[in-house]
Amino acid sequence: MDDDGFIDIWLHTLNKDMAESRPFLITCFIAALVGILTIAYTAFQWRRNINLSWMKAIARSKKNPKTRHKVHATPHSWVLEAVSRGKNLSCCVCLKSMAPSQSLGPMNASDNSIYCCSVCGAVAHLNCSSIAHKDCKCVSMIGYEHVLHQWAVRWTETTDQTDETSFCTYCEEPCSGSFLGGSPIWCCFWCQRLVHVDCHNGMSNERGDICDLGPFKRLILSPLHVKELNTSGGFLSSITHGANEIASSVRATIRSQSKKHKNSNEDTGNSDDVRDASTENSSDSYQVANGSHEMEESCNGSLDERFPHGQNGGVDKKSDLKPSISRSGSINSKDETQVLKMKQKYELIDLPPDARPLLVFINKKSGAQRGNSLRQRLNLLLNPVQVFELSSAQGPEVGLYLFRKVPHFRILVCGGDGTVGWVLNAIDKQNFVSPPPVAILPAGTGNDLARVLSWGGGLGSVERQGGLCTLLNHIENAAVTILDRWKVSIVNQQGKQLEPPKFMNNYIGVGCDAKVALDIHNLREENPDKFYNQVHLVSAVAVALLVKYIFVETPFDAEGVLLANIGSYMGGVDLWQNEDENYDNFDPQSMHDKILEVVSISGTWHLGALQVGLSRARRLAQGQTIKIQLFSAFPVQIDGEPWFQQPCTIVISHHGQAFMLRRVSEEPLGHAAAIITDVLENAETSRVINASQKRALLQEMALRLA
């Protein structure tokens, strides 16, 4: 009992002491936590100052004649950007942070903007840009025997780096930004290899400065074969050009007003997400960013009329349909070629027979609206001369003209289905004996064509697969396949064509699905920031269907009719469903059998059920030539580009076939197709076969391996 009493007294005393010392313990804990945070912050600042001192050392070393680069000095391509774009970066001149100062007074206009190089990603304050080192990527090395390494500071963090190039190319030690990690890093603009600054002299003495262009050397347009043209025309030329621009703008305004007045009782439909791109948004930045691809209007305004069509081949009524047609009709192809020739800033000469450069088209107005970021990343990985930005003032024809003498090249379209159609239309106009195959970087809204070609459903899928480096590797090893293209003619009851034909690659819809697409298109035009990623699309149809000269009866509850060329609709829905065994009277769907599949939709609720896999479309027919007669006004959409159509007859017929590239990283037969494609191109280069024979063999291969 005495022991128990002693224990109780001891516990009571202990609890009393702990209650009195609790504030002291809490104070000690807080003081220790503050101390740890202070030490961590001090270490972070120390590391930052050390890295900044290394950057200053690198900047000073560039002034040393012994370490000066052997390539031509190339100025940066400055583009004005919001200051928020560079908040985590440092000025490449003064090395100070680009984050806006936290001043209490009003901010100056210069504090809201910075300059960003569209090629290498360097940033600079507005007052620093004029004295920046001319150490940007040199796109032309005419006169050099070999491509030389162009070592530079990597001003921006990039995810487009292969695992093999994350180590120093000389000492093979990791090139990381670890704490007190030693020597700073240089990166070659061409081969993407890294080297410690301390290792550079040793590597240069042992291996020289010759660059092999790295893992993508077949896709990169070598600067040894890019000749810069002298296009300076003097002061008088500048004045004339400015006057011509003003005159062209006035003419465009007058035509637009007259068109609006003439067609005030008509609906201006069939708009295009590329053709509606605002010139103010694209012309400024692009003119500074890539002078070689500038595309202003020509003296007589003919160049603006050179591209009156949208991505699906249709005419954008917002781009002045009738004046454009009459104007372009008076200009022959020779004049158009001359206009394109005058606008070229570079020329490709003496390319080796085994060259397979990649021609890139970027539509920054597509659904994801990340064109600026993609262009800069591709400029780093490739030659900026081979990267073109599409806009209302510049179409794909400019890039195709630059590559007109390249025997074998591939095309990458960064955009949606409409952008792909725009590029395919331009390829058709060039009359290639063997057209270049087209790969897709899905950056649009639906990306249905990219899905069926295994390129993914959006930019997110590309990033998850490894980013642009992995994409370029897949393009180099892709297989060639065939895509049917269809001509859509709109005629009246007498058979007279009401407007120029449009072209379809994916599908055409009449009724409820086109109405939904039209509503979403209008919302996207009003609020483009809300449509960064692909959108899931969620009235009885008074139409008559004529397939193979036989009238096809539409179901009584049908509110929409769809004609599909590919097995993906509305962001991945398979309308025809080849694996369905309940339809014995129909053939499986194929995108290169020259046959369209016709299905019906029962309403918007049916569209939603299709999207989540709870229903299926009703098969109606298959055919090569299909006529749809509209007895009243209805929404119509081609490849996701909608408009409101008055009563007419829509005639869909086979137009031709285009070469496309299919990603084959997970297809055994695809690897064989990629090898066969390369063999056929080498055979044409060696003159064993001609271009027509190669095209026929590629078509046969695509059909057999499909």
Side-chain angles (χ1 to χ4, degrees):
M1 293 295 295
D2 293 339
D3 292 340
D4 293 340
F6 175 76
I7 293 173
D8 291 339
I9 295 172
W10 180 78
L11 290 175
H12 178 72
T13 305
L14 181 63
N15 291 334
K16 183 178 179 181
D17 292 343
M18 289 187 64
E20 294 176 353
S21 61
R22 187 174 299 169
F24 174 75
L25 294 176
I26 294 176
T27 303
C28 291
F29 175 77
I30 294 176
L33 182 62
V34 171
I36 292 173
L37 293 177
T38 303
I39 293 173
Y41 179 76
T42 303
F44 174 78
Q45 289 293 99
W46 188 20
R47 175 185 173 183
R48 181 178 179 275
N49 293 335
I50 290 175
N51 290 339
L52 187 59
S53 66
W54 276 116
M55 297 293 286
K56 290 180 179 180
I58 294 173
R60 285 195 298 268
S61 70
K62 291 184 179 182
K63 299 179 181 179
N64 188 345
K66 295 182 180 180
T67 60
R68 189 169 297 169
H69 295 308
K70 298 179 181 180
V71 297
H72 291 302
T74 305
H76 292 282
S77 300
W78 297 120
V79 180
L80 203 62
E81 297 281 3
V83 70
S84 58
R85 292 286 302 273
K87 61 181 179 180
N88 296 324
L89 303 176
S90 298
C91 176
C92 67
V93 180
C94 67
L95 304 175
K96 295 181 180 179
S97 174
M98 301 301 297
S101 58
Q102 303 296 327
S103 57
L104 297 178
M107 294 183 64
N108 299 326
S110 60
D111 295 333
N112 295 323
S113 303
I114 61 173
Y115 273 133
C116 177
C117 180
S118 63
V119 175
C120 67
V123 293
H125 297 105
L126 300 186
N127 55 351
C128 294
S129 59
S130 59
I131 57 175
H133 290 289
K134 296 182 179 181
D135 54 359
C136 195
K137 196 168 188 175
C138 181
V139 300
S140 175
M141 295 185 187
I142 286 289
Y144 289 77
E145 187 176 355
H146 301 284
V147 179
L148 302 179
H149 282 299
Q150 193 174 355
W151 302 107
V153 178
R154 179 184 289 172
W155 293 102
T156 58
E157 291 296 329
T158 177
T159 57
D160 303 314
Q161 194 75 31
T162 59
D163 295 336
E164 293 80 4
T165 58
S166 60
F167 295 86
C168 176
T169 189
Y170 182 71
C171 68
E172 299 183 356
E173 292 295 327
C175 291
S176 62
S178 60
F179 180 65
L180 297 179
S183 174
I185 303 165
W186 266 338
C187 176
C188 177
F189 277 142
W190 293 104
C191 64
Q192 306 303 315
R193 292 187 176 93
L194 304 179
V195 64
H196 295 119
V197 172
D198 292 346
C199 299
H200 175 259
N201 288 334
M203 188 198 71
S204 180
N205 293 332
E206 291 184 14
R207 306 178 186 178
D209 293 319
I210 297 177
C211 179
D212 63 357
L213 299 181
F216 308 122
K217 57 185 176 183
R218 292 226 307 174
L219 298 178
I220 295 176
L221 182 61
S222 173
L224 297 177
H225 307 289
V226 178
K227 179 182 179 181
E228 187 172 3
L229 301 177
N230 184 14
T231 57
S232 58
F235 179 70
L236 182 60
S237 161
S238 301
I239 296 179
T240 305
H241 177 71
N244 289 331
E245 280 190 327
I246 296 175
S248 298
S249 301
V250 172
R251 285 196 300 268
T253 303
I254 295 175
R255 289 197 302 268
S256 178
Q257 291 178 350
S258 62
K259 173 71 176 179
K260 182 177 179 181
H261 176 72
K262 185 176 181 179
N263 298 328
S264 59
N265 60 339
E266 297 181 2
D267 190 288
T268 58
N270 194 22
S271 59
D272 187 290
D273 64 338
V274 177
R275 311 299 298 152
D276 290 341
S278 61
T279 309
E280 299 89 90
N281 234 1
S282 59
S283 62
D284 255 356
S285 61
Y286 198 73
Q287 182 176 353
V288 183
N290 202 337
S292 64
H293 305 154
E294 267 182 70
M295 205 59 182
E296 301 93 354
E297 287 188 328
S298 63
C299 300
N300 57 8
S302 62
L303 189 58
D304 187 53
E305 282 77 29
R306 177 76 172 89
F307 314 114
H309 298 282
Q311 299 119 308
N312 56 26
V315 176
D316 186 355
K317 294 185 179 180
K318 294 182 181 180
S319 300
D320 300 332
L321 167 63
K322 295 180 180 178
S324 298
I325 297 301
S326 62
R327 194 67 169 277
S328 61
S330 64
I331 304 176
N332 57 37
S333 60
K334 184 177 179 180
D335 292 335
E336 294 175 349
T337 302
Q338 187 65 23
V339 170
L340 292 173
K341 183 177 180 180
M342 292 172 59
K343 296 299 179 180
Q344 295 293 319
K345 297 296 180 67
Y346 295 93
E347 181 183 5
L348 308 185
I349 59 175
D350 301 330
L351 264 75
D354 62 340
R356 304 288 189 272
L358 183 67
L359 175 59
V360 182
F361 294 112
I362 300 176
N363 176 21
K364 71 176 186 180
K365 298 295 288 184
S366 289
Q369 300 190 16
R370 290 169 57 182
N372 288 333
S373 173
L374 287 175
R375 184 185 65 191
Q376 180 180 311
R377 293 165 64 185
L378 287 168
N379 282 341
L380 281 174
L381 294 173
L382 304 173
N383 191 327
V385 172
Q386 65 191 109
V387 181
F388 288 80
E389 183 178 302
L390 300 177
S391 69
S392 59
Q394 174 177 283
E397 288 83 353
V398 189
L400 293 173
Y401 182 83
L402 177 66
F403 275 62
R404 69 193 183 281
K405 295 181 181 179
V406 181
H408 305 294
F409 68 96
R410 297 185 168 192
I411 293 177
L412 173 62
V413 178
C414 306
D417 295 328
T419 310
V420 176
W422 189 10
V423 173
L424 291 179
N425 291 336
I427 293 175
D428 280 348
K429 296 177 184 178
Q430 303 302 314
N431 296 320
F432 288 106
V433 178
S434 182
V438 178
I440 305 172
L441 174 58
T445 303
N447 303 312
D448 288 298
L449 186 55
R451 293 173 191 271
V452 300
L453 294 174
S454 303
W455 295 111
L459 288 176
S461 63
V462 175
E463 300 295 350
R464 287 191 297 270
Q465 292 170 3
L468 295 184
C469 284
T470 303
L471 175 74
L472 293 178
N473 182 60
H474 288 163
I475 291 174
E476 186 169 7
N477 298 289
V480 175
T481 188
I482 302 295
L483 173 70
D484 287 328
R485 305 195 69 228
W486 300 84
K487 182 171 73 171
V488 181
S489 303
I490 300 177
V491 299
N492 57 17
Q493 293 182 351
Q494 292 75 33
K496 181 180 179 181
Q497 192 163 289
L498 298 178
E499 55 183 88
K502 312 175 192 302
F503 298 94
M504 182 262 287
N505 303 311
N506 300 354
Y507 40 74
I508 177 173
V510 178
C512 62
D513 80 298
K515 176 65 167 58
V516 173
L518 183 60
D519 292 342
I520 289 181
H521 172 79
N522 293 334
L523 286 174
R524 183 173 63 181
E525 292 299 307
E526 296 173 1
N527 305 285
D529 295 341
K530 297 181 180 179
F531 290 83
Y532 282 143
N533 298 313
Q534 54 263 37
V535 179
H536 295 161
L537 304 178
V538 207
S539 102
V541 181
V543 302
L545 277 175
L546 181 63
V547 181
K548 297 180 181 178
Y549 306 104
I550 300 175
F551 279 100
V552 177
E553 183 179 357
T554 57
F556 70 94
D557 61 342
E559 295 187 9
V561 174
L562 280 164
L563 283 67
N565 183 46
I566 63 175
S568 179
Y569 165 74
M570 201 167 58
V573 176
D574 184 3
L575 293 174
W576 195 250
Q577 296 187 349
N578 285 340
E579 68 277 4
D580 193 342
E581 299 178 355
N582 296 326
Y583 295 92
D584 297 329
N585 298 325
F586 295 107
D587 296 326
Q589 184 183 42
S590 173
M591 65 180 183
H592 41 62
D593 59 358
K594 302 180 182 179
I595 293 177
L596 285 176
E597 285 68 38
V598 186
V599 299
S600 67
I601 305 296
S602 299
T604 53
W605 66 269
H606 195 186
L607 287 175
L610 287 172
Q611 183 67 47
V612 297
L614 297 179
S615 182
R616 60 186 60 185
R618 183 178 302 179
R619 295 183 179 183
L620 298 182
Q622 289 178 300
Q624 278 189 323
T625 301
I626 301 175
K627 293 184 179 180
I628 304 176
Q629 187 172 355
L630 300 183
F631 299 111
S632 59
F634 275 100
V636 180
Q637 61 96 0
I638 296 179
D639 294 347
E641 304 302 326
W643 76 97
F644 205 77
Q645 181 62 51
Q646 298 300 319
C648 68
T649 299
I650 302 176
V651 182
I652 302 97
S653 58
H654 191 261
H655 171 66
Q657 291 182 319
F659 284 129
M660 306 297 293
L661 289 173
R662 180 191 293 272
R663 176 176 168 267
V664 298
S665 62
E666 300 176 357
E667 301 177 16
L669 285 179
H671 291 291
I675 294 173
I676 294 173
T677 300
D678 198 50
V679 169
L680 292 177
E681 289 179 347
N682 291 333
E684 183 189 2
T685 301
S686 304
R687 298 185 179 180
V688 176
I689 59 176
N690 58 33
S692 300
Q693 291 171 330
K694 186 197 77 171
R695 177 173 184 170
L697 290 172
L698 284 175
Q699 289 175 328
E700 184 65 21
M701 178 193 68
L703 292 174
R704 289 180 179 271
L705 295 180

